[in-house]
Amino acid sequence: MARRKITRRSFVAGASQAALGAMVLPRRVLGGPGYQAPSDTLHVAVVGAGGMGMNNAEALGSEAIVAVCDIDFGYVERSLKGREKNREGQPRPEGIRLQEQFAKTAQYADWREMLDKQKDIDAVLIATPDHNHAVIAKSAMQLGKHVYVQKPLTYSVHEARVLRQLAISNPKLATQMGNQGHSREGARLINEWVQAGVIGPVHEVHVWTNRPVGYWPQGIPRPAPAGADAASGMAFGTSWGMRRVNETLATAMGAAPIQIPDGLRWDLFLGPVPEDIAYHPIYHPFNWRGWLDFGVGALGDMGAHLIDHPFWALGLEYPVSIEATSTPWGTSLIPASEPGGRPRSKPVTYPVATTVHYQFPARGSQPPVKMTWCDGGLYPPRPDLLPDDVVLKSEGGVIFYGEKGVLMHDTYGDNPRLFPQSLTDQTAQVPQKYPRITTSHEMNWVNAAKGQDKTTCPFEYAAQLTETMILGVVALRTGQGRKLSYDGASGQVTNIPDANQYLTREYRKGWEV
């Protein structure tokens, strides 16, 4: 753009306007409805921007996104492109605004470089795969940054405890886990109805989800090159047993050499994982959730949206026992260590379907609670009080069993309803006890960072919820048919010492939490 020549006349006119401006200040200086001064704007860095991180960033429209960090900007650009228009083909102002914001920001592949170089960051939004959550959040918090972390908060029990203690030690930092249903109206109604005794004392809760079915693969082997150990022998008259099927699938996925796409930093995707797992598109994007190295399966994905509500409404803390059962794990063969020896299998993906039983102790006058989790398309039994025409939704939900009736709600705490339906009349007399969140879950965090509100799902709470969820995975990895006794105060399994190895993970050097 050509620069405008400044003449004496324009200088005098400008000076006169400036003098007038000193007496009549514009709204951008005085402020007003809809205006946000730069000094009131939070400077946010987004780490992991191609998936849910992009949804979260879009909800931060009033704030300044000053840095974007991702290991695959090709995926980020494709995701941004998909937000330009809605399903009807109409322009989406939010998506266009986000594109403009991202175009202006500093871009990084390595979050460590971002935190080291860029000093104007107030807050960090983390939406990477699960295995990278804690190491990034811990580093950001130690630098005094407010932190928003997508669910599940962490990959392991150890990591959940580390972040919880950091949050307690740094009360001025605003922390939030990204389980958006925690900020919705349904969550507050559930709390208020249960705590007002509408369904009476609650002894049992059933939770279910259809994940991972139809969303991401589980129960499968890792891609393997041709020539791996082949199954031998006959089983029930055929050599095509499950072992051979798995080996064939692994070889088919690993048959052709796959190059890492240009611009994808696979080393940074692996992050704390100690094994140099070869890149394959079955891991990234999105499908990482079902792989033991990277995700926490359906419990990690949906437990924060479902277990959250009975955990909060009933004032639960740590379970005293956990047991789990499932369909088979997805396994890969490890070659025999000696000539002539038999290869052994190693779990690499979570089972397609899992059931977990949690026992929680009594809390004051509230009785002990048994909670059952089902995933992979498994359903809980229908309550006797449920009318025949009420269908349990395939996506999932929660059922509270009280002494007077049942409360059932959908995923995220939506659509809470009571049975028998006559109990609904009592809810009109239940006072509002919990403050309503009138913004998005993300903006609730922003406002807390500015000292204008409190986060609804801070790490002090979110870490205990996450720990409970992950203890289901610990029980599953320990073995079916076994019950873990858990001491929440010490964070240790007390009856099966070997189970404690699953409370943490082995880390790549330099990536420890």
Side-chain angles (χ1 to χ4, degrees), residues 32-54:
Y35 171 71
Q36 181 167 291
S39 59
D40 294 333
T41 301
L42 197 69
H43 288 190
V44 182
V46 179
V47 185
M52 275 303 299
M54 192 166 289

Side-chain angles (χ1 to χ4, degrees), residues 189-235:
L189 292 177
I190 293 164
N191 286 3
E192 288 161 354
W193 294 352
V194 169
Q195 292 168 14
V198 173
I199 62 172
V202 174
H203 297 266
E204 191 169 353
V205 176
H206 286 252
V207 187
W208 78 100
T209 180
N210 58 353
R211 268 64 159 197
V213 176
Y215 290 85
W216 64 85
Q218 290 186 184
I220 62 172
R222 194 185 301 288
D229 290 331
S232 60
M234 303 286 283

Side-chain angles (χ1 to χ4, degrees), residues 255-277:
I258 295 176
Q259 300 297 318
I260 299 176
D262 291 341
L264 171 60
R265 288 290 305 273
W266 183 244
D267 59 325
L268 295 175
F269 177 94
L270 292 177
V273 176
E275 183 181 350
D276 289 325
I277 299 167

Side-chain angles (χ1 to χ4, degrees), residues 330-377:
T331 60
S332 289
L333 285 180
I334 299 176
S337 57
E338 299 178 359
R342 291 179 59 85
R344 61 186 180 88
S345 62
K346 170 186 176 181
V348 292
T349 55
Y350 292 98
V352 171
T354 299
T355 298
V356 181
H357 303 286
Y358 299 93
Q359 296 279 359
F360 294 90
R363 290 95 48 231
S365 61
Q366 297 185 78
V369 173
K370 179 180 180 180
M371 180 189 295
T372 299
W373 162 273
C374 298
D375 63 38

